[in-house]
Amino acid sequence: MTTLVTGATGLVGLNLVRKLVSQGERVRIFARPSKHPRLGLDDLDVEHAAGDVTDQESIEKAMKGVARVYHVAGNTSQGPWRSVRRRLEEVNVGGTENVCAAARKAGVERLVHTSSIAAIGYGPRENPATEETVWNFGRLGGPYYDTKRAAEHVVSKHVEAGLDAVIVNPGYMFGPWDVKPTSGFPVLMAAQRKRGIPLYPTGGGINVLDVEDAAQGHILAMQKGKRGERYILGNENLTWREVFTLANEVSGKPPPWLPVNLFVAYPFGLLLNVIGRFAPHTFDNYNTLTLRAGATGHYVSAKKALTELGLPVTPVKKSMEKALEWFRSHDYFQLPQRRTRARS
């Protein structure tokens, strides 16, 4: 019995594939062809299916003989530009349509769709959002948030048409196998700098969890999740100051000391919006949209996943320590800082 994983080369996908293999699953990974070795995958006994989620024919071919599907693939670009929105719609919405349609055609037993807390409404720490909260991120006008929400509607449509599918919504993750790196970048940056990260935003925060817990949450959703339901995979709600303080702490550095009001930086963000139209990948994390999102307290509750799935919860400090050790063991301190797409 074969399990297909799309997006196997990303942070969640890598940890999920490695966990599935360790549990004795026969895994087929679906990813774009590459001439280069894939860190974290080349040492595993897995099948490889080449293709792209935007190519219906290739995903249908990869789906043959598959019993279960984890649709993890997605584009995490966070720019406000039209070119970015078009690509996000093509991959996140159109790609999800292709995967769900192929799964129904192949008669798979169940599909788990990786969404994000970006598709969940936000709330204050004292009353965090749940799976039932009315979505309130539309005010940002962010293509990433919009398309992750729209992709969930695609899955729900296919559930109504007969597909057995479950949606999971991971938060901001730390842990091993952050190859690009993505959300682990604060840990890497703190370790690389002599005195760690010096500044911290005065507002905003995020729900944080261990990426290996998130991977196990996917598996638990496949095993125990209710058809058509959503499950927030999360742990601790932290302010960005707390996140950066922990990142410095695990690296043996002092706490950040320079407060920064993100709205004060807004005029500079407007300038980057203009420049970013010509180089959107370069300014993916530097624009007015990321400033507005960063100033938001994106706090959610994982109570449903804890209760119904038995989601494990590793302390965030321990997750950061695992990330730091992984970066150190793979010589990331010897490399230039890489461009990241840190997404929830």
Side-chain angles (χ1 to χ4, degrees):
M1 188 162 53
T2 300
T3 298
L4 180 69
V5 180
T6 72
T9 60
L11 175 60
V12 176
L14 270 170
N15 281 277
L16 174 59
V17 169
R18 297 185 70 85
K19 192 172 286 288
L20 288 170
V21 170
S22 71
Q23 295 177 6
E25 293 252 12
R26 181 180 178 182
V27 178
R28 180 182 300 162
I29 64 170
F30 180 75
R32 289 189 294 269
S34 175
K35 298 179 181 179
H36 306 289
R38 287 190 168 115
L39 184 60
L41 292 176
D42 284 353
D43 63 327
L44 299 180
D45 182 17
V46 296
E47 298 178 32
H48 293 258
D52 191 294
V53 293
T54 61
D55 179 0
Q56 182 70 36
E57 183 178 351
S58 68
I59 190 64
E60 288 184 0
K61 183 178 179 180
M63 204 78 70
K64 291 181 180 178
V66 166
R68 294 182 290 266
V69 177
Y70 292 94
H71 177 40
V72 187
N75 188 301
T76 60
S77 296
Q78 181 79 318
W81 307 286
R82 290 181 182 178
S83 61
V84 170
R85 180 176 289 276
R86 285 195 298 268
R87 183 57 180 165
L88 286 165
E89 289 175 345
E90 182 181 6
V91 175
N92 293 348
V93 185
T96 299
E97 171 64 38
N98 291 340
V99 171
C100 288
R104 284 179 55 204
K105 184 176 180 179
V108 303
E109 294 175 4
R110 168 164 278 195
L111 179 146
V112 171
H113 170 70
T114 307
S115 184
S116 165
I117 59 169
I120 298 286
Y122 62 91
R125 289 177 95 174
E126 62 273 15
N127 186 28
T130 71
E131 291 83 355
E132 304 305 318
T133 298
V134 176
W135 191 60
N136 49 12
F137 263 120
R139 66 175 183 80
L140 290 177
Y144 175 70
Y145 293 84
D146 294 345
T147 57
K148 294 303 286 186
R149 180 66 170 171
E152 288 195 3
H153 292 318
V154 169
V155 176
S156 297
K157 178 191 70 174
H158 281 277
V159 169
E160 292 174 359
L163 179 66
D164 186 344
V166 180
I167 297 170
V168 291
N169 302 77
Y172 194 91
M173 294 164 282
F174 291 100
W177 300 105
D178 196 355
V179 173
K180 290 185 178 180
T182 54
S183 49
F185 187 66
V187 173
L188 182 59
M189 183 168 64
Q192 288 176 327
R193 294 175 179 270
K194 185 176 182 179
R195 295 188 59 81
I197 302 172
L199 53 80
Y200 64 89
T202 56
I206 195 77
N207 187 277
V208 184
L209 79 155
D210 189 288
V211 69
E212 292 183 306
D213 291 346
Q216 186 63 29
H218 281 67
I219 296 171
L220 291 168
M222 181 69 76
Q223 297 171 345
K224 302 179 181 181
K226 297 177 182 177
R227 175 180 171 179
E229 293 285 314
R230 312 159 79 195
Y231 293 90
I232 294 171
L233 306 182
N235 186 6
E236 300 181 44
N237 286 313
L238 301 176
T239 65
W240 287 115
R241 181 180 186 178
E242 291 169 332
V243 170
F244 293 165
T245 298
L246 278 175
N248 279 4
E249 183 180 335
V250 299
S251 301
K253 310 295 172 59
W257 57 272
L258 179 62
V260 176
N261 187 315
L262 295 180
F263 289 108
V264 172
Y266 203 80
F268 185 61
L270 289 172
L271 175 62
L272 296 182
N273 280 6
V274 176
I275 300 173
R277 292 178 60 186
F278 305 98
H281 293 301
T282 302
F283 296 94
D284 189 45
N285 284 320
Y286 309 102
N287 52 71
T288 55
L289 178 56
T290 55
L291 287 174
R292 293 199 304 272
T296 300
H298 196 172
Y299 303 127
V300 297
S301 170
K303 182 178 180 180
K304 182 178 178 181
L306 293 169
T307 303
E308 296 187 16
L309 304 182
L311 176 71
V313 284
T314 300
V316 172
K317 183 179 178 181
K318 176 64 176 177
S319 303
M320 288 188 177
E321 290 171 346
K322 291 196 296 183
L324 179 64
E325 177 55 32
W326 188 87
F327 287 135
R328 180 178 289 119
S329 65
H330 288 81
D331 297 325
Y332 272 64
F333 295 167
Q334 308 303 318
L335 301 175
Q337 293 181 6
R338 305 178 181 186
R339 183 179 60 83
T340 67
R341 290 178 181 176
R343 291 293 163 268
S344 58

